[in-house]
Amino acid sequence: MAAGKLIIIEGSDGSGKATQTELLCRRLRTDGRSVMAVAFPDYSSESSALVKMYLRGDFGAKADAVNPYAASAFYAVDRVASYERKWKGFLAAGGIVLADRYTTSNMLYQMIKINDPAEKEEYLDWLWEFEFHKLGLPEPDGVILLDVPQDVSERLMAVRTGKTGGETGDIHEKDRDFLRKCHTAYGELADKYGWQKVSCAVDGELRSAESIHEDVYRLVSDIIR
């Protein structure tokens, strides 16, 4: 039996991850592939309770109110619950799992709370060991980063409704300086871990979802062949 594949669609808030995951899922099924789409956090599950509290600001109004190790644990537990209950067997049976966010987002959102480069590397090493070795989550076979320029991202976020309620979204979405740091960190992580990038804008304007999809599909086809 062929091994399953776990492919992550990563990117900033408003970059089109859900849209690209859906388009890719449909395309691969048309190709005759066995595909399942998942998204993190899993807001429909009880396992995301601590994540919702954190993003809502219950532990503090600023994104750095909770230290990166504790916040990472909130998200990791949610992923473990999803994996064990929804897609572990599917992946083991050779299916393709497409994930809208994963451990990759933990890396991004939590590492930027750390200023010292050595401590940042220590955190990333800890997270990799914690999630993929200690908790037993599968390592991704490929990560596709939807790369949106910072100014375009900020325009998108200005009109975006927050996932957790409220007119201006969660504590990450409200913090523009935090989002700017995220954009820089995405580039660092892509270089460190060899993520594949898809440029999503031309001359300051977003490309069509269909044209972005074609680039994503080509990259994924190479991963699953």
Side-chain angles (χ1 to χ4, degrees), residues 128-150:
W128 192 278
E129 173 70 15
F130 178 57
E131 295 215 17
F132 300 137
H133 297 165
K134 293 293 192 292
L135 298 183
L137 287 166
E139 296 179 20
D141 295 287
V143 179
I144 310 297
L145 175 62
L146 303 179
D147 188 18
V148 180
Q150 180 60 34

Side-chain angles (χ1 to χ4, degrees), residues 71-112:
S72 294
F74 298 165
Y75 287 93
V77 166
D78 180 51
R79 271 187 284 279
V80 169
S82 172
Y83 174 58
E84 294 291 343
R85 296 178 60 201
K86 296 182 178 180
W87 52 278
K88 183 178 182 178
F90 181 83
L91 185 68
I96 298 170
V97 176
L98 306 178
D100 173 350
R101 295 201 185 281
Y102 193 56
T103 306
T104 47
S105 285
N106 244 15
M107 291 173 173
L108 183 282
Y109 280 102
Q110 303 308 321
M111 71 177 264
I112 62 176

Side-chain angles (χ1 to χ4, degrees), residues 13-97:
D13 288 306
S15 60
K17 296 181 298 299
T19 297
Q20 292 305 319
T21 301
E22 181 181 355
L23 290 172
L24 185 58
C25 196
R26 273 195 234 144
R27 180 81 169 269
L28 291 175
R29 283 175 179 157
T30 299
D31 291 345
R33 300 282 191 165
S34 182
V35 186
M36 177 186 293
V38 296
F40 298 102
D42 185 357
Y43 290 116
S44 65
S45 171
E46 294 175 0
S47 63
S48 67
L50 285 169
V51 173
K52 290 177 182 176
M53 293 173 69
Y54 165 63
L55 293 177
R56 198 166 54 216
D58 290 8
F59 305 125
K62 289 290 187 179
D64 59 0
V66 177
N67 79 68
Y69 293 88
S72 294
F74 298 165
Y75 287 93
V77 166
D78 180 51
R79 271 187 284 279
V80 169
S82 172
Y83 174 58
E84 294 291 343
R85 296 178 60 201
K86 296 182 178 180
W87 52 278
K88 183 178 182 178
F90 181 83
L91 185 68
I96 298 170
V97 176

